[in-house]
Amino acid sequence: MSDSAAPRPYRSYVYAYPHKTAYRPLPDPAPSLAALWRDEPKDALSLYAHIPFCEVRCGFCNLFTRIGAPDELTTRYLDALDRQATAVREALGDRHPVRFATAAFGGGTPTFLTAGELERLCDIAEKRMGVDLRAVPLSVETSPATATADRLALLAERGATRLSIGVQSFVEAEARAAVRPQRRADVESALGRIRDTGVPVLNIDLIYGIDGQTEESWRSSLDAALAWRPEELYLYPLYVRPLTGLGRISPAADREWDEQRLRLYRYGRDHLRAHGYEQVSMRMFRRTDAAPLGPDDYACQTDGMIGLGCGARSYTSALHYSFDYAVDMREIRTIIDAYTETADFSRAEVGRWVDAGEARRRHLLQSLLQAEGMPVAGYEERFGASPFADFPVELGRFEALGWLDGAAPAGLLRLSAEGLAHSDGLGPELFSPSVRAAMAAYEPK
């Protein structure tokens, strides 16, 4: 198969399947959480708490977040989060043991909250949901402007094991081009405060493909990040999405931009490998000598997730559900306001049912997009069939494009280096026709 038949390399970042734009309002009466979770395994759950506030909105951002929080909105939001957590924990019941294996606070920017509000967020996770934050991996996202000493100290004291900071670029002109204005001195100060906490894992997010970015300026950002010896680095390709700041001023992606991003990706990948990092996925790199975080027995392919907050998703084996989704700031404000006024959180209102076929696709996607690959025997044990029998056309195409690793050990389905590089083109190839149709019918708002 020729390269001309290959999918575009930057079609969609597949971090969850089915994609949230395939979710729809669930029929009335909406399913109760108690019924949804009654027979689910609950001994290795993941908790995700979503805080939809930022001090600025970056030009590339299409996340569910708003700028600022007037009129004690953060208080009202945490009140609603408390009510939701109470309802969810009641729905989980006590018929089977309930244990959380991992936790994360994301957004938005969780550290937009004050130290006192972060303490309340931790209390909700522990006292309402029963998560022992000091005994499980706890990841928290932050930003240079909100990584203050008092907030970071509180998170470290409550058990944070990973702090992730979105730097995007250490080059001030590039940060401005991405509509993320910031001073490098402020970024470096924030990184110093994070290191002072002693939290074991620092992750730094960087972006490639910014207008005007070159291999030289990209290396400058990479080296500035490496100077802090972060345990993890995420390298994200820039996307221009509808209704974002850049989406209103930039042209649609073209082949030349694709080639620029691929070139910078390969440069960044090779540079990090040469400096002692192993590749975990297309985006994630981990320092090879970083100490393990301790027990983490959560498996994203099979274990459930509890999402708290109006931008969070929850996963059972049969239904993925959340609240309404938007990108436009006015729509987001409306949804957040509605969330803070909600009294009854006992039902799933928006979501998508996951049948056996979709479960196969999700398992293959979430396993194959990891650099370590997927043991075929594990797939066969779960589904009673070979992935090659379930997805002959898709896997055959990947093989023809050189995206499968022919040198992988027997029984391991693994992407080649070029397959990993094309993860954002490969992933959408595994979407089902019904999910594609739902995503195509979704009207951005």
Side-chain angles (χ1 to χ4, degrees):
M1 190 175 291
S2 67
D3 285 345
S4 62
R8 295 279 296 273
Y10 300 104
R11 293 171 66 193
S12 177
Y13 172 22
V14 183
Y15 58 90
Y17 180 80
H19 192 273
K20 199 169 183 178
T21 54
Y23 292 15
R24 293 294 184 271
L26 297 167
D28 190 33
S32 73
L33 300 189
L36 288 171
W37 286 99
R38 180 175 297 122
D39 298 319
E40 293 288 310
K42 294 185 277 284
D43 58 339
L45 296 173
S46 175
L47 177 72
Y48 176 76
H50 181 260
I51 305 299
F53 307 110
C54 289
E55 74 277 7
V56 296
R57 187 172 174 104
C58 304
F60 51 84
C61 178
N62 74 334
L63 299 178
F64 189 92
T65 187
R66 60 160 292 163
I67 300 171
D71 304 322
E72 298 186 338
L73 180 56
T74 54
T75 298
R76 289 185 281 118
Y77 186 83
L78 289 172
D79 289 345
L81 199 76
D82 199 334
R83 294 194 300 274
Q84 185 189 5
T86 300
V88 170
R89 183 60 188 87
E90 182 178 344
L92 291 176
D94 296 309
R95 192 159 64 114
H96 302 291
V98 175
R99 186 183 72 88
F100 288 87
T102 182
F105 302 155
T109 309
T111 49
F112 179 90
L113 300 177
T114 66
E117 289 170 332
L118 285 169
E119 184 161 32
R120 186 179 179 195
L121 177 62
C122 292
D123 285 344
I124 290 170
E126 291 195 332
K127 296 176 181 178
R128 296 288 185 262
M129 297 303 302
V131 186
D132 186 349
L133 294 179
R134 293 179 180 84
V136 302
L138 170 61
S139 177
V140 185
E141 296 173 12
T142 189
S143 69
T146 62
T148 58
D150 60 336
R151 292 174 169 107
L152 297 175
L154 181 280
L155 291 170
E157 193 277 326
R158 294 302 294 262
T161 55
R162 179 181 184 268
L163 293 171
S164 177
I165 184 168
V167 172
Q168 320 315 350
S169 177
F170 284 85
V171 179
E172 291 183 11
E174 290 179 1
R176 288 194 298 272
V179 196
R180 173 63 182 267
Q182 61 190 14
R183 295 173 59 245
R184 176 166 175 176
D186 295 336
V187 173
E188 300 279 359
S189 294
L191 287 165
R193 290 191 294 273
I194 291 173
R195 278 306 196 200
D196 287 344
T197 66
V199 168
V201 174
L202 163 64
N203 173 70
I204 298 176
D205 289 345
L206 297 176
I207 285 181
Y208 55 92
I210 299 170
D211 187 34
Q213 193 174 43
T214 65
E215 287 187 3
E216 183 179 8
S217 67
W218 179 223
R219 176 170 181 161
S220 174
S221 276
L222 291 167
D223 286 342
L226 288 170
W228 291 97
R229 288 186 49 77
E231 285 70 27
E232 294 176 5
L233 274 159
Y234 271 71
L235 308 185
Y236 287 96
L238 180 66
Y239 275 91
V240 173
R241 299 180 174 97
L243 303 182
T244 63
L246 289 178
R248 294 185 174 93
I249 62 175
S250 299
D254 55 24
R255 295 284 180 180
E256 185 177 345
W257 192 30
D258 285 348
E259 287 304 315
Q260 180 210 17
R261 286 180 286 180
L262 276 173
R263 184 173 63 254
L264 293 174
Y265 159 79
R266 292 179 179 125
Y267 186 94
R269 174 198 64 194
D270 295 346
H271 195 63
L272 294 188
R273 284 176 170 172
H275 285 77
Y277 286 76
E278 63 176 337
Q279 187 167 19
V280 178
S281 68
M282 172 187 164
R283 288 165 170 75
M284 182 182 177
F285 295 80
R286 180 184 292 128
R287 214 178 72 212
T288 53
D289 63 347
L293 273 180
D296 179 3
D297 52 358
Y298 176 77
C300 64
Q301 297 93 335
T302 56
D303 292 328
M305 172 178 279
I306 299 291
L308 299 179
C310 58
R313 314 174 197 215
S314 297
Y315 306 144
T316 70
S317 58
L319 180 71
H320 292 189
Y321 62 93
S322 63
F323 297 91
D324 199 6
Y325 172 70
V327 175
D328 180 78
M329 191 63 70
R330 288 168 297 182
E331 295 284 348
I332 289 174
R333 286 197 292 261
T334 298
I335 294 170
I336 293 174
D337 288 343
Y339 174 82
T340 64
E341 295 165 5
T342 299
D344 183 2
F345 287 102
S346 65
R347 295 183 179 274
E349 303 290 345
V350 177
R352 187 170 185 86
W353 295 99
V354 178
D355 62 19
E358 298 289 19
R360 284 170 159 80
R361 290 180 183 276
R362 181 170 184 258
H363 186 107
L364 180 61
L365 260 173
Q366 295 192 302
S367 303
L368 197 57
L369 294 182
Q370 300 297 307
E372 65 184 7
M374 182 187 79
V376 174
Y379 182 98
E380 292 174 340
E381 181 180 354
R382 183 179 178 192
F383 298 111
S386 163
F388 298 98
D390 284 342
F391 302 99
V393 174
E394 294 91 338
L395 292 177
R397 189 176 190 212
F398 299 161
E399 184 175 19
L401 287 165
W403 288 355
L404 298 184
D405 183 2
L412 183 67
L413 181 57
R414 186 170 67 189
L415 295 181
S416 65
E418 277 305 288
L420 270 181
H422 287 79
S423 291
D424 286 5
L426 181 154
E429 291 291 295
L430 290 169
F431 292 2
S432 70
S434 62
V435 165
R436 291 173 194 260
M439 292 175 65
Y442 176 79
E443 296 183 7
K445 61 180 183 178

